[in-house]
Amino acid sequence: MSVKLQPVRGTHDILPEESRKRRLIENMLAMVCTTYGYGEISTPVFEFSEVFLRTLGDTSDVVTKETYTFEDRGGESITLRPEFTAAVVRAFISNGLQEKLPFKVYYNGPAFRYERPQKGRLRQFHQFGAELLGEPDPIGDIELIGMAVHGLVVLGLAEHVKLELNSLGDSESRKAYRDALVAYFTQHQASLSEESRARLERNPLRILDSKDEGDRALLAGAPLMHDHFTENAKAYFKKVMAGLDAIDIQYEINPRIVRGLDYYSHTVFEFTTDKLGAQGTVLAGGRYDGLVKMMGGHDIAGVGFAAGIERLLALMEAVQVEGLNRDVKPLAVMPIDEAQEMAALRMAQELRVAGFVIELLTHGNMGKKMKRADKLGAVAVLMLGENEVAQGKVMVKHMSDGSQHEVEYAQLQEHLLTIKV
Ligand code: ATP
Ligand code: MG
């Protein structure tokens, strides 16, 4: 019996070459977050469905069409995480951490959405993100956006993205705005897409996010959120902007940014690029002050962001970030005959323990081994023949200039450190 050998649509295997690059991205971002006092959190890949279904909102795309939800053998409804924020907040509450504020964590791992697979849109993708709980002041938004920018700088992407910023105001502003939107779109109901007509009743704000051309044309004349802000919402947004100015972060106000999920308030932002086609948002986030309470915790403010690792990597490749393709070049160790195999093995082991990257080549004649060393990009070839082993020496060939050096085994490591690549 044979099994289906292709991976499920929208998923892919991450092979060593890609893993190396992803590890680079993840390590650099983790390092940046550490600088801001964030620690790492890992939550389970699945949760009780209500963790996501109740928080993301009944009308969000994620909940209506994208979750992987199933009943487990015990009859529980389980959902693979489509995002991390709700899971992190669940963990924050269930681990009794609400008295220890602020709570600052970053995370990194797979997320799952049943979407139509296309370039930059996968069914299993990976997010790196951060959450800050317990800082209701705009200072939290500013520091968090500063951290995101810092991460993008370290990845070499800062000049290739733009920060688009918006505010959704507080709940009072949103209610007033909602009413204004409903009035406007009800007037133009006939021209709305079917999807947006459904949104009109359930969550009119989402129409602003519509990708339908007809809807977008209507949006030009739609009322603006900012005209419905309370004094509090205005002051909040003003301080966020002043803070970003203070740390020299450039942004564009984009009133169309509403984010897909229900739990956002005040600040929302996206870092976008025009170099990845339609899937141009590499990092996105916002403030979600009502979420902890909505999930049964205290009234604790939150703000966070998530970046798609695949999109960050695709952008780094598209703009050819320096250093991304740099791999550690090995040294090749080769016995000339089978008789020197054990000696070569021993040398390879000792050098690896000392921190050198070694490829041990034992198959084929010398010509074949040399070709293989070349292919591996070896910096030098360390040859062991009968004479070398008898005399405690190694023949070292530098690949850059072809020069050969007979080196005492005791001096070998010192010699290797002087080789020019
Ligand atoms: P989009 O508008 O592209 O659907 P979103 O608003 O659904 O994005 P978020 O929930 O904010 O995305 O997720 C944060 C980031 O995770 C996105 O900016 C993107 O980089 C990445 N991301 C989201 N969904 C996918 C996916 N299906 N495949 C790959 N990356 C994704
Ligand atoms: Mg989406």
Side-chain angles (χ1 to χ4, degrees), residues 30-139:
M31 201 111 82
V32 168
C33 291
T34 307
T35 317
Y36 292 73
Y38 284 63
E40 185 169 10
I41 189 167
S42 290
T43 62
V45 165
F46 50 79
E47 298 273 349
F48 291 124
S49 296
E50 58 187 41
V51 169
F52 301 112
L53 304 192
R54 293 243 304 265
T55 53
L56 305 184
D58 296 342
T59 57
S60 69
D61 283 354
V62 172
V63 167
T64 52
K65 16 178 227 238
E66 296 175 4
T67 51
Y68 279 90
T69 294
F70 58 95
E71 198 175 286
D72 72 7
R73 289 168 199 267
E76 297 284 4
S77 179
I78 299 293
T79 294
L80 301 187
R81 67 177 170 223
E83 58 109 38
F84 285 68
T85 304
V88 169
V89 169
R90 195 275 305 142
F92 169 69
I93 301 171
S94 42
N95 287 283
L97 301 170
Q98 295 185 83
E99 314 296 333
K100 293 187 188 149
L101 299 177
F103 181 66
K104 309 201 294 192
V105 289
Y106 67 88
Y107 58 75
N108 173 27
F112 307 85
R113 295 184 193 177
Y114 192 82
E115 304 203 60
R116 194 166 67 79
Q118 50 194 295
K119 189 169 165 282
R121 199 174 285 290
L122 299 157
R123 288 182 174 171
Q124 175 174 336
F125 60 102
H126 297 76
Q127 286 189 335
F128 185 104
E131 312 289 354
L132 164 60
L133 295 167
E135 175 52 89
D137 193 85
I139 289 288

Side-chain angles (χ1 to χ4, degrees), residues 332-366:
V333 167
M334 50 179 83
I336 292 180
D337 289 310
E338 211 179 316
Q340 292 90 44
E341 253 181 22
M342 294 302 136
L345 199 57
R346 195 182 154 81
M347 185 165 82
Q349 185 78 7
E350 283 178 7
L351 289 173
R352 286 169 177 150
V353 169
F356 292 92
V357 179
I358 304 295
E359 289 283 352
L360 177 62
L361 306 180
T362 56
H363 294 289
N365 59 24
M366 280 308 277

